[in-house]
Amino acid sequence: LAAFSTSLESSNGWTNSTQWAEATENERYAMSRHALAMTEVCVSGFRFAICVAGACGHEIARNSFVNALANFSQLGTSVELLEHRHIRCIQALLRIARDDGEYLGSSWRTIFSVMSEVARLQRLLDKLARVKIQNRREQGRGNEDSSDEEDSESFASDFLGVHEMDDISLDDDLDRRTIEEMNAKTVQEAIPSEMIDTIYLRSTRLTDLSIKEFIDELCNVSRLELSGHGQSQSNGKRIHPVQNTASLLRMNHHQPVIYSLQRLVEVAHYNMDSRLLCVWGEIWTTVSSLLVDTALHPSNEAVAIYAVDSLRQLSIQYLQRKELGIFEFQRRFLKPYEIIMMKCNFATPRELLLKGIEQILLRCGGGGTDSVDAKGSNPNTLRSGWRTILSVLGLAARDSEDSIAKMGFHMLNNLLDELKKDVAKACLSLGIIGRVNTKNPSPVYNEYSHCHGYLMAEHFVDLVESLAQYISGRRTALSKKALAYLVMMTDWLGNDQNPKPCLAGSSKLRSLSSDVTKSEIATSEESNIKPAKSSELELWWPVLLCFSHSVADSREVIRSNALSILMKVINRDFLRIPNIKVDDDTATPPRVVAGNESDLITLQLIFRGILHPILEYADQVGYETKTLTYLPKNFTYLISPQPSPSRQQKVEPGNKSKGSHWADETFYNYIDGCIALCNRASDYFHNMVMMEELVSIFNACLQSDSAIIRLRGLQRLELILTDESQTPGKLTDKVIQMTCEILSRNLMIPLNYENDENVASIAGQRLTGSYVVHVTSILLLNKAQNAKPTLLQRVQLANSLSTYITNWENVAKLPEFTEEDQHFTVFTPPHPLENAMFGRKSLVQFITLLTFDDGCYD
């Protein structure tokens, strides 16, 4: 390396001005011949050394020779005239890359940097030619004064080469520009562009290991170019006086170079069809990572658009290949679409990405078959890629741009266009939310509307998840249409004549594990029977889960419709009571037949995994109501002012309109629907086990952070205990025991003022505690029409009530409640002493009953 480097450095015989001036003509000729010969020997030595080091696996030696040869090329280092030896070094590097690329390995990075610099000079010469032509035209029109300004603006307007003009126009004089122009001419004459094209084209001949190194280093160089590293800077340079301010501002804006990115796309195109899937998978991982990073460029939208367009071209090319059944590489190939759609900051690339999805559907989305369309041009090869495509269409619902969200739903709408024809009758709730638009879509979208059958059979869950994104989105019009489509899918799934979707691949249940624990989905202790049609339940589950989340939506129109649909679907498809005619009115309904116990298990799962979590999804905070509205009628007022009859009426909260908050009307409809469903199931199965699920929902209400939810839950629990029409019969001992345990836990909640969180908690307990005492007194005094607790259960409740009294009396001793100047309003919870007195009143009544009523011991 030292011998070759020293000899090559001293091979510039004609540049030594002293010797050259004193030499004769023959001596000058000999010096030139000697310099040329020495250059050829050194360049050949470098080439052989690189090949030998690469063949022997000596990475350090190979990289040293390649870097030395690149340094002698003088590209990208300084602005000097390129001599013959510099050109020969460039040619040697390119020839090694073309003929001996197998030996380069990590040295490809240096080669790509040289090739990028050569391409820059070639583009520069083309721009200079255009500038000269433009200057001649301007001079012909008599605009000599503005020619320099137009010259500069022409350079700044070119996307690929703005940074080159920074190196030229901001120098101290025009020498820099002249040198660059001469170097560009020299490179163009010595190195044809076809030579560089051949290097990238011959990447298909590289072995699997070499092509991976080739791609890795090309990606590294591209990242450097996109980040702006290695570009010439003009800081500290004097501005040429003929340039105006606007032109200088444009030229100082450094645009990233995308030359290597363009070449990377070409290499991916060349190698896509010639590599094994496992090899191409590793290549695509590297290429897609760069494309995603480029599409997510933080400040340059043009670069992001180019990356998305490149991704679209490669995707269409790859998806036209048939996918093997055991692989799902299409889904892996299209994964960058999902990432870009989720994280890209610019709207135009996201819109272009959706248009790319549209082209994929038109050219490759033929329903998952292996046939071709009627014209015989577009293969129907899209298989596992459907999952990613549907996910991208769903992500469009979350986009900040309305046009993108509408475009995504329009494509999804036309994918499901045929679904409206498959549903025989109108959906059960379309009268509420409005029919889906039945206008014929554009002919372009109709070309892939026949995909619906394949999607329903193979990607049912993915369709549901995509629609769920639009239902939960902030655009109400799209949410209502998506909700209507989801209802259609329930009708399609509930029709026994339709083929049931398969559970393989994308149709596997992915949401169940996050919402229902293993203990919840386990069968009951009394029976080991599995849920009825467990395979179908896995298809139903994401649909029901979507309705469950929608019931907690902040928009009243969406949550009310979703709740109505959810209850109707459960009653229609999971509680199918046969229509048996009975001759006389006194005949009793038939008992369940064998096997229906599994249907009961299914209903229990729905209660635990679908209806119960609605309370967790709902927005229960930020709600304020007048306190005195929800105090028991027989509450004893000692300190708080007793409300007038007008204040005892129900008063709407604050400035909120009726039904504007989830706790206003949706909660009552939700809990009433659960009660009706339990009663219907109890009548059908002749089993009160569903009441246990209902009591667990009341328990969740009492554990809520919202005082209004706790109060309204207690109100409905009181109705269950006192109104015979609310239950199909007497509550079982187990249900009564569960109710007593729930009340006991709420009576014995510890109270303290250690921190602000406890203060807020006690404020809510001051309000709900009195109603817990009221419901407890119903059981203590045998006022419950539907429940007859045992004496032991009542004594346990009385013991919990005594603890409740003691706790509130201790709270009343705190300084916060001993001040005489306390101010009470309709929003102030009762005083702790009032809570204690109300509990003591109920306890005394129970003791009195035990003393004078002998029947209470039965």
Side-chain angles (χ1 to χ4, degrees), residues 315-324 330 360 363-372 378-386 454:
S315 301
I316 293 177
Q317 178 189 355
Y318 178 80
L319 292 175
Q320 291 179 354
R321 304 168 58 183
K322 178 181 177 181
E323 184 180 45
L324 299 179
Q330 287 184 357
I360 291 175
R363 301 191 61 175
C364 307
T369 62
D370 296 328
S371 59
V372 295
N378 296 335
N380 303 328
T381 55
L382 193 57
R383 288 176 176 263
S384 64
W386 277 112
Y454 173 76

Side-chain angles (χ1 to χ4, degrees), residues 5 8-12 15 43 65-93 110 113-118 120-121 167 176 179-180 182-184 186-187 191 230 232:
S5 300
L8 190 59
E9 182 67 29
S10 61
S11 63
N12 55 343
T15 58
V43 169
F65 279 101
V66 171
N67 292 333
L69 197 57
N71 291 334
F72 280 118
S73 68
Q74 294 294 321
L75 291 178
T77 57
S78 61
V79 181
E80 297 179 0
L81 282 175
L82 296 180
E83 303 174 3
H84 172 73
R85 55 175 180 159
H86 301 148
I87 298 298
R88 290 296 294 133
C89 291
I90 299 173
Q91 292 174 342
L93 285 172
T110 305
S113 300
V114 172
M115 294 165 65
S116 177
E117 196 66 23
V118 170
R120 183 188 71 86
L121 292 175
D167 300 338
R176 186 183 182 90
I179 293 174
E180 286 280 7
M182 295 178 63
N183 288 341
T186 303
V187 169
I191 303 173
S232 301

Side-chain angles (χ1 to χ4, degrees), residues 417-474:
D417 183 59
E418 296 293 323
L419 181 62
K420 297 194 291 288
K421 302 177 182 178
D422 287 354
V423 179
K425 297 181 180 179
C427 295
L428 48 89
S429 63
L430 285 184
I432 302 175
I433 61 180
R435 294 183 178 274
V436 179
N437 186 14
T438 57
K439 294 182 180 180
N440 292 328
S442 62
V444 175
Y445 287 98
N446 272 337
E447 293 184 14
Y448 59 82
S449 62
H450 62 285
C451 299
H452 131 267
Y454 173 76
L455 293 179
M456 295 294 291
E458 298 291 335
H459 297 277
F460 181 84
V461 175
D462 298 315
L463 276 173
V464 172
E465 293 177 351
S466 183
L467 289 172
Q469 296 283 351
Y470 286 95
I471 295 175
S472 60
R474 59 184 179 87

